[in-house]
Amino acid sequence: MIEVKTREEIELMRESALIVSKTLGMLAKEVKPGITTLRLDALAEQFIRDHGAIPGFLGLYDFPNTLCMSPNAQVVHGIPNDKPLEEGDIISIDCGAIKNDFYGDHAYTFEVGEVAPAVKRLLEVTKESLYIGIREFKLGNRVGDVGYAIQQHCEKHGHGVVRELVGHGLGKKMHEDPEMPNYGKRGRGKKFVEGMVVAIEPMINMGTHRIKQLRDGWTILTADLKPSAHFEHDVALLDGRPELLSTFQYIYEALGIVSDEEDEFRRQPLIVE
Ligand code: MG
Ligand code: MG
């Protein structure tokens, strides 16, 4: 059953989402060759608690850490460890936080130093597909419209769309209805309704869409060990249109990137303090 949210609840969810956005912005300054994912995890946990929130992943389904840290061929659900990041790596960081009982949940794939052009392109295409998908999250559309749009864009560029892991409704539970696959058919699946909040999160592989899981019971990696990218936003359906609750602007601020990619999904300008 889809749990629709009131305007007041959506404003609370925006708070939760922004705590995650700020956490990723803080991490953007720290992601560089030599730092370990465990160190980044400790920084994120402290940052979230300092902002009056609770790490959303820690202990959820028994996950051991605050961040899912998935470098290179890891798709999602990687566990932080003491291996330093290296020049040319990519690292997908997925972060959750709970504030006022509501979850924020979003993810960004960072470049560590200078990354190979083909890998850079994978990140660009995956992030483009996120916004192409978000654009379809509007009244009158269905779950399949979002998945179709994401899949078309990524496959056009020769990339594989992971099937086994999907986006989801978001609220007082981390995973609510509906499931939001990154593949699908136009006009199929559940109908979008006013007040829905979803996490849209393409997980896109450079090569095959097939995945495997490590013996740790968590880490998902590509079957061909080629790189994988993951970008995730929290989005509300308000006045029939998608509105972003999360933002990458704190990351861009940290990295000196100027981007207007989120403008069409926001009714008022975001002030990054
Ligand atoms: Mg996530
Ligand atoms: Mg998610």
Side-chain angles (χ1 to χ4, degrees):
M1 200 189 69
I2 293 173
E3 307 257 358
V4 297
K5 278 82 184 174
T6 64
R7 293 227 169 214
E8 292 71 28
E9 287 174 325
I10 288 171
E11 287 318 306
L12 292 177
M13 291 195 70
R14 192 191 303 276
E15 253 188 75
S16 309
L18 287 179
I19 287 171
V20 184
S21 303
K22 289 174 187 172
T23 308
L24 292 177
M26 178 277 294
L27 292 170
K29 293 181 205 132
E30 306 292 336
V31 169
K32 46 178 86 105
I35 196 163
T36 68
T37 49
L38 257 183
R39 173 74 186 134
L40 294 169
D41 188 75
L43 289 172
E45 177 172 358
Q46 192 59 51
F47 187 91
I48 290 168
R49 294 194 191 282
D50 287 347
H51 283 75
I54 302 165
F57 296 168
L58 186 63
L60 183 70
Y61 314 118
D62 291 328
F63 188 75
N65 291 85
T66 291
L67 301 174
C68 291
M69 287 291 216
S70 311
N72 303 321
Q74 294 188 10
V75 180
V76 287
H77 301 168
I79 298 173
N81 61 30
D82 56 9
K83 187 175 170 289
L85 294 175
E86 290 177 21
E87 177 82 21
D89 283 349
I90 54 171
I91 177 82
S92 297
I93 305 184
D94 195 349
C95 181
I98 309 165
K99 174 117 195 223
N100 302 312
D101 295 332
F102 284 105
Y103 276 92
D105 170 26
H106 63 124
Y108 192 90
T109 301
F110 293 87
E111 301 172 21
V112 184
E114 204 52 49
V115 162
V119 178
K120 234 178 183 21
R121 192 70 195 120
L122 170 70
L123 304 192
E124 282 165 7
V125 168
T126 305
K127 187 147 65 67
E128 284 161 13
S129 81
L130 169 62
Y131 292 108
I132 288 169
I134 290 172
R135 209 167 280 140
E136 299 299 318
F137 179 58
K138 59 184 179 189
L139 220 53
N141 272 5
R142 292 173 181 268
V143 165
D145 294 304
V146 171
Y148 175 85
I150 292 172
Q151 182 178 17
Q152 287 305 303
H153 186 69
C154 296
E155 289 184 351
K156 189 172 77 190
H157 287 88
H159 299 321
V161 176
V162 172
R163 306 293 202 272
E164 293 86 347
L165 298 140
V166 297
H168 49 92
L170 186 71
K172 289 191 174 171
K173 288 202 249 48
M174 171 76 178
H175 295 111
E176 296 188 354
D177 271 349
E179 289 197 340
M180 297 285 293
N182 298 302
Y183 58 92
K185 293 198 166 72
R186 268 184 183 146
R188 300 282 180 86
K190 286 188 181 161
K191 225 177 180 168
F192 296 138
V193 292
E194 183 73 12
M196 279 177 83
V197 178
V198 295
I200 298 179
E201 49 177 318
M203 289 155 260
I204 307 300
N205 301 343
M206 183 178 274
T208 179
H209 68 79
R210 286 183 303 110
I211 55 167
K212 51 189 181 184
Q213 188 170 34
L214 288 186
R215 271 180 230 276
D216 63 18
W218 279 105
T219 311
I220 303 292
L221 68 170
T222 58
D224 59 9
L225 299 181
K226 289 184 180 171
S228 183
H230 181 210
F231 291 87
E232 176 177 28
H233 267 313
D234 300 338
V235 196
L237 208 160
L238 272 177
D239 298 326
R241 298 190 293 117
E243 167 143 345
L244 278 184
L245 301 181
S246 54
T247 178
F248 294 147
Q249 291 302 324
Y250 292 97
I251 296 172
Y252 296 158
E253 172 89 357
L255 300 180
I257 295 169
V258 177
S259 166
D260 60 0
E261 66 192 22
E262 297 178 351
D263 290 2
E264 67 176 287
F265 307 113
R266 219 178 283 291
R267 66 199 61 208
Q268 57 210 27
L270 177 89
I271 294 141
V272 178
E273 355 70 86

PDB file of all heavy atoms in Angstrom, residues 57 94-95 105-107 168 174 201 230 232, ligand 1:
ATOM      1  N   PHE A  57      21.111   3.758   8.285  1.00  0.00           N
ATOM      2  CA  PHE A  57      21.457   2.398   7.835  1.00  0.00           C
ATOM      3  C   PHE A  57      22.008   1.547   8.973  1.00  0.00           C
ATOM      4  O   PHE A  57      21.882   0.325   8.947  1.00  0.00           O
ATOM      5  CB  PHE A  57      22.512   2.434   6.715  1.00  0.00           C
ATOM      6  CG  PHE A  57      22.063   3.109   5.440  1.00  0.00           C
ATOM      7  CD1 PHE A  57      22.981   3.422   4.443  1.00  0.00           C
ATOM      8  CD2 PHE A  57      20.725   3.427   5.222  1.00  0.00           C
ATOM      9  CE1 PHE A  57      22.579   4.035   3.270  1.00  0.00           C
ATOM     10  CE2 PHE A  57      20.313   4.047   4.048  1.00  0.00           C
ATOM     11  CZ  PHE A  57      21.250   4.355   3.065  1.00  0.00           C
ATOM     12  N   ASP A  94      26.304   5.689  -0.294  1.00  0.00           N
ATOM     13  CA  ASP A  94      24.872   5.735  -0.038  1.00  0.00           C
ATOM     14  C   ASP A  94      24.700   6.008   1.455  1.00  0.00           C
ATOM     15  O   ASP A  94      25.359   5.377   2.276  1.00  0.00           O
ATOM     16  CB  ASP A  94      24.247   4.388  -0.427  1.00  0.00           C
ATOM     17  CG  ASP A  94      22.734   4.452  -0.548  1.00  0.00           C
ATOM     18  OD1 ASP A  94      22.133   5.453  -0.141  1.00  0.00           O
ATOM     19  OD2 ASP A  94      22.157   3.471  -1.058  1.00  0.00           O
ATOM     20  N   CYS A  95      23.833   6.986   1.781  1.00  0.00           N
ATOM     21  CA  CYS A  95      23.725   7.429   3.170  1.00  0.00           C
ATOM     22  C   CYS A  95      22.255   7.595   3.550  1.00  0.00           C
ATOM     23  O   CYS A  95      21.453   8.063   2.742  1.00  0.00           O
ATOM     24  CB  CYS A  95      24.474   8.755   3.318  1.00  0.00           C
ATOM     25  SG  CYS A  95      24.449   9.430   4.990  1.00  0.00           S
ATOM     26  N   ASP A 105      17.419   9.386   2.330  1.00  0.00           N
ATOM     27  CA  ASP A 105      18.199   8.285   1.748  1.00  0.00           C
ATOM     28  C   ASP A 105      18.708   8.723   0.387  1.00  0.00           C
ATOM     29  O   ASP A 105      17.917   8.780  -0.556  1.00  0.00           O
ATOM     30  CB  ASP A 105      17.276   7.062   1.609  1.00  0.00           C
ATOM     31  CG  ASP A 105      17.882   5.922   0.807  1.00  0.00           C
ATOM     32  OD1 ASP A 105      19.119   5.821   0.767  1.00  0.00           O
ATOM     33  OD2 ASP A 105      17.104   5.134   0.229  1.00  0.00           O
ATOM     34  N   HIS A 106      19.998   9.114   0.325  1.00  0.00           N
ATOM     35  CA  HIS A 106      20.470   9.312  -1.038  1.00  0.00           C
ATOM     36  C   HIS A 106      21.941   9.044  -1.220  1.00  0.00           C
ATOM     37  O   HIS A 106      22.670   8.801  -0.253  1.00  0.00           O
ATOM     38  CB  HIS A 106      19.984  10.599  -1.688  1.00  0.00           C
ATOM     39  CG  HIS A 106      20.408  11.876  -1.093  1.00  0.00           C
ATOM     40  ND1 HIS A 106      21.052  12.841  -1.820  1.00  0.00           N
ATOM     41  CD2 HIS A 106      20.264  12.364   0.142  1.00  0.00           C
ATOM     42  CE1 HIS A 106      21.257  13.871  -1.045  1.00  0.00           C
ATOM     43  NE2 HIS A 106      20.805  13.621   0.148  1.00  0.00           N
ATOM     44  N   ALA A 107      22.327   9.020  -2.495  1.00  0.00           N
ATOM     45  CA  ALA A 107      23.616   8.435  -2.869  1.00  0.00           C
ATOM     46  C   ALA A 107      24.259   9.208  -4.022  1.00  0.00           C
ATOM     47  O   ALA A 107      23.558   9.803  -4.845  1.00  0.00           O
ATOM     48  CB  ALA A 107      23.419   6.982  -3.295  1.00  0.00           C
ATOM     49  N   HIS A 168      12.476   2.916  -4.315  1.00  0.00           N
ATOM     50  CA  HIS A 168      11.409   2.546  -3.381  1.00  0.00           C
ATOM     51  C   HIS A 168      10.690   3.765  -2.834  1.00  0.00           C
ATOM     52  O   HIS A 168      11.245   4.869  -2.839  1.00  0.00           O
ATOM     53  CB  HIS A 168      12.030   1.776  -2.212  1.00  0.00           C
ATOM     54  CG  HIS A 168      13.237   2.469  -1.623  1.00  0.00           C
ATOM     55  ND1 HIS A 168      13.142   3.346  -0.579  1.00  0.00           N
ATOM     56  CD2 HIS A 168      14.548   2.463  -1.987  1.00  0.00           C
ATOM     57  CE1 HIS A 168      14.348   3.830  -0.305  1.00  0.00           C
ATOM     58  NE2 HIS A 168      15.230   3.319  -1.150  1.00  0.00           N
ATOM     59  N   MET A 174      12.218   2.808   5.745  1.00  0.00           N
ATOM     60  CA  MET A 174      13.226   3.018   4.701  1.00  0.00           C
ATOM     61  C   MET A 174      12.721   2.514   3.350  1.00  0.00           C
ATOM     62  O   MET A 174      12.957   3.130   2.318  1.00  0.00           O
ATOM     63  CB  MET A 174      14.472   2.245   5.155  1.00  0.00           C
ATOM     64  CG  MET A 174      15.536   2.157   4.149  1.00  0.00           C
ATOM     65  SD  MET A 174      16.385   3.716   4.052  1.00  0.00           S
ATOM     66  CE  MET A 174      17.571   3.214   2.853  1.00  0.00           C
ATOM     67  N   GLU A 201      16.739   5.725  -7.819  1.00  0.00           N
ATOM     68  CA  GLU A 201      18.161   5.436  -7.660  1.00  0.00           C
ATOM     69  C   GLU A 201      18.711   4.465  -8.696  1.00  0.00           C
ATOM     70  O   GLU A 201      18.881   3.281  -8.416  1.00  0.00           O
ATOM     71  CB  GLU A 201      18.440   4.912  -6.249  1.00  0.00           C
ATOM     72  CG  GLU A 201      17.548   3.797  -5.753  1.00  0.00           C
ATOM     73  CD  GLU A 201      17.984   3.315  -4.363  1.00  0.00           C
ATOM     74  OE1 GLU A 201      19.186   3.168  -4.122  1.00  0.00           O
ATOM     75  OE2 GLU A 201      17.094   3.076  -3.517  1.00  0.00           O
ATOM     76  N   HIS A 230      26.030   4.781  -9.016  1.00  0.00           N
ATOM     77  CA  HIS A 230      24.772   4.849  -8.269  1.00  0.00           C
ATOM     78  C   HIS A 230      24.509   6.290  -7.842  1.00  0.00           C
ATOM     79  O   HIS A 230      25.317   6.874  -7.120  1.00  0.00           O
ATOM     80  CB  HIS A 230      24.898   3.942  -7.027  1.00  0.00           C
ATOM     81  CG  HIS A 230      23.680   3.888  -6.161  1.00  0.00           C
ATOM     82  ND1 HIS A 230      23.760   3.676  -4.803  1.00  0.00           N
ATOM     83  CD2 HIS A 230      22.356   4.001  -6.442  1.00  0.00           C
ATOM     84  CE1 HIS A 230      22.537   3.656  -4.291  1.00  0.00           C
ATOM     85  NE2 HIS A 230      21.672   3.849  -5.258  1.00  0.00           N
ATOM     86  N   GLU A 232      21.231   8.734  -6.273  1.00  0.00           N
ATOM     87  CA  GLU A 232      19.885   8.604  -5.691  1.00  0.00           C
ATOM     88  C   GLU A 232      19.390   9.934  -5.139  1.00  0.00           C
ATOM     89  O   GLU A 232      20.124  10.635  -4.432  1.00  0.00           O
ATOM     90  CB  GLU A 232      19.934   7.580  -4.544  1.00  0.00           C
ATOM     91  CG  GLU A 232      18.624   7.415  -3.779  1.00  0.00           C
ATOM     92  CD  GLU A 232      18.703   6.338  -2.691  1.00  0.00           C
ATOM     93  OE1 GLU A 232      19.812   6.110  -2.165  1.00  0.00           O
ATOM     94  OE2 GLU A 232      17.669   5.730  -2.384  1.00  0.00           O
TER      95      GLU A 232
HETATM   96 MG    MG B   1      20.191   4.805  -0.644  1.00  0.00          MG
END
